[in-house]
Amino acid sequence: MPHDQLPDYSQFTVRDLVLDESFRRWVLQPDEATMSFWHTFMLRHPERQTLVDEAASLLLHLRVSYDDLTDASYERIWSILEQAHTDQSIPVIELTRSPSVWHRLGGWKVAATLIGLLGTLVTGWYIRESRHQHNEHTAFGETRTLTLPDGSTVQLNGNSTLTYRDDWAAGQPREVWLEGEGFFTVTKKAEAGQRVKFITHTPGLDVQVLGTQFNVHSRRGQTDVTLVEGKVQLIRPGEPNAHVLEMRPGQVAIARPGIEQVALQEIAPERQTAWTQKQFIFEKTPLRAVAQQLSDSYGLTIVFGDEALADRQFTGNLSSQDVETLLTTLAATFDLTIERDSNIIYLRKSK
């Protein structure tokens, strides 16, 4: 389903999630597309974790026998599915009960035991899953280098999150999910004579490689991929028949929300990867773009005195470890005054 037709999952109730085809597939029969989408969703909406856990638990209940559930548990599950059938004409899973088993085994005592067992099973499932799941997040202004299970490394820029599992199956693609910015150095890997792909999932693009160096910047739905060396294949996520785009070193691919075609540009890679060397490199960069970079990686909000000032262009190389020097340089270059209120910075033309 195209991204512009997806429902607003941030407003979904437990019932809505239980009935949603994508969510059900993610919990019961996950594939690459659903894993990518729901990992990204949870990165963006951590406040929905409790609700998602409850919906997932309910779905897992549907995978066990219903013979000995309590009336309350049975009715709750049935009412959700039955109401969905009435409202949406969605196929309903038929739930059958066996009164003879219920009465023969002692009714509520068995139910209480099974409900406790179900809770243990669900909790155990989440514990096992979380043991293999890693969510690495950097604070504003922090950079960190991670070593992945295959020896590949990822350098994360400030305010970025990388999600991955450490139990990559033999012969299967190595997969990670990125929100923010990261520089990847991927180790080549082969099993049974076949090279194993490494896939970086973002909301805008899936980046597939065998072994290479590349930078991924993914924020606010836009994804930029800069290839430093090797070969990269780009695919729009959620589109099985999507065109595969190949990049060569020195190119940047830009995927914008609502625009189907991915733009390819020739660019000096060091401009896009300067942050890994703790540098800012600006070349005729509008001040609004400078402000956005400071917001994304350092949590600073830049407020301009007028729109014309935001469109002014700046060229310069500075250390990214000293944001104050950058602000002072901007003030001197454009004859500005600087006022700061915590993380809000006001830039105005000097009187």
Side-chain angles (χ1 to χ4, degrees), residues 119-133:
T120 301
L121 289 173
V122 171
T123 301
W125 182 83
Y126 278 110
I127 290 174
R128 289 195 301 274
E129 289 297 297
S130 62
R131 186 182 299 129
H132 294 292
Q133 179 105 347

Side-chain angles (χ1 to χ4, degrees), residues 86-100:
T86 301
D87 293 348
Q88 306 174 29
S89 297
I90 292 177
V92 176
I93 299 174
E94 194 66 39
L95 307 180
T96 60
R97 294 161 61 97
S98 172
S100 59

Side-chain angles (χ1 to χ4, degrees), residues 37-54:
F37 176 83
W38 286 101
H39 275 78
T40 300
F41 174 82
M42 292 310 302
L43 289 175
R44 292 180 172 178
H45 300 281
E47 76 283 356
R48 310 294 288 177
Q49 183 68 58
T50 300
L51 182 139
V52 167
D53 287 350
E54 184 178 352

Side-chain angles (χ1 to χ4, degrees), residues 55-349:
S57 297
L58 186 55
L59 281 176
L60 289 172
H61 280 58
L62 296 176
R63 305 188 75 172
V64 301
S65 171
Y66 280 85
D67 286 346
D68 300 309
L69 289 180
T70 64
D71 287 341
S73 298
Y74 178 88
E75 291 302 330
R76 182 186 180 205
I77 295 172
W78 178 252
S79 65
I80 288 177
L81 297 175
E82 191 175 46
Q83 185 61 44
H85 181 68
T86 301
D87 293 348
Q88 306 174 29
S89 297
I90 292 177
V92 176
I93 299 174
E94 194 66 39
L95 307 180
T96 60
R97 294 161 61 97
S98 172
S100 59
V101 173
W102 176 262
H103 292 294
R104 185 172 68 250
L105 295 180
W108 68 270
K109 292 182 180 179
V110 173
T113 301
L114 286 174
I115 291 300
L117 177 60
L118 285 172
T120 301
L121 289 173
V122 171
T123 301
W125 182 83
Y126 278 110
I127 290 174
R128 289 195 301 274
E129 289 297 297
S130 62
R131 186 182 299 129
H132 294 292
Q133 179 105 347
H134 297 266
N135 296 287
E136 304 289 348
H137 181 74
T138 52
F140 285 115
E142 176 192 10
T143 60
R144 189 193 318 162
T145 299
L146 308 173
T147 300
L148 301 178
D150 65 339
S152 300
T153 61
V154 184
Q155 186 173 351
L156 288 183
N157 204 350
N159 186 33
S160 299
T161 302
L162 186 77
T163 301
Y164 65 95
R165 295 179 62 89
D166 62 12
D167 59 346
W168 288 335
Q172 295 301 308
R174 301 162 284 171
E175 297 180 89
V176 300
W177 286 260
L178 176 70
E179 181 73 19
E181 185 166 23
F183 182 84
F184 293 77
T185 301
V186 176
T187 300
K188 293 182 180 179
K189 184 178 181 181
E191 292 183 3
Q194 298 294 320
R195 290 188 175 184
V196 181
K197 287 184 177 181
F198 185 103
I199 304 176
T200 301
H201 299 283
T202 75
L205 285 173
D206 286 342
V207 185
Q208 300 186 0
V209 304
L210 296 173
T212 185
Q213 291 188 335
F214 59 97
N215 191 81
V216 179
H217 182 279
S218 181
R219 300 190 192 272
R220 296 172 301 282
Q222 176 172 320
T223 299
D224 299 348
V225 179
T226 304
L227 182 57
V228 177
E229 66 177 40
K231 186 173 72 172
V232 160
Q233 292 182 331
L234 305 176
I235 301 175
R236 284 284 198 181
E239 299 178 14
N241 299 319
H243 174 68
V244 176
L245 180 66
E246 290 194 355
M247 296 179 63
R248 62 173 183 267
Q251 289 184 323
V252 59
I254 304 172
R256 294 184 175 89
I259 300 178
E260 182 176 351
Q261 188 171 1
V262 177
L264 274 180
Q265 299 177 2
E266 303 290 336
I267 192 170
E270 57 268 18
R271 285 172 50 189
Q272 303 295 104
T273 62
W275 66 270
T276 65
Q277 304 300 318
K278 302 187 184 304
Q279 293 284 317
F280 287 122
I281 297 181
F282 299 112
E283 183 175 339
K284 296 182 179 179
T285 304
L287 292 187
R288 69 172 72 255
V290 175
Q292 189 63 69
Q293 186 168 339
L294 294 177
S295 174
D296 288 342
S297 299
Y298 295 89
L300 300 177
T301 300
I302 310 298
V303 179
F304 295 100
D306 59 70
E307 286 299 308
L309 175 58
D311 290 332
R312 298 286 297 275
Q313 296 181 341
F314 175 69
T315 297
N317 296 5
L318 295 166
S319 170
S320 64
Q321 294 180 290
D322 189 355
V323 176
E324 296 299 331
T325 298
L326 171 60
L327 294 173
T328 301
T329 302
L330 292 179
T333 303
F334 298 101
D335 191 24
L336 307 176
T337 60
I338 301 176
E339 296 179 16
R340 184 162 186 166
D341 181 7
S342 186
N343 286 333
I344 302 176
I345 298 171
Y346 300 88
L347 297 181
R348 300 183 178 91
K349 291 291 293 182

Side-chain angles (χ1 to χ4, degrees), residues 1-8:
M1 182 182 293
H3 289 288
D4 58 356
Q5 297 180 20
L6 288 174
D8 183 2

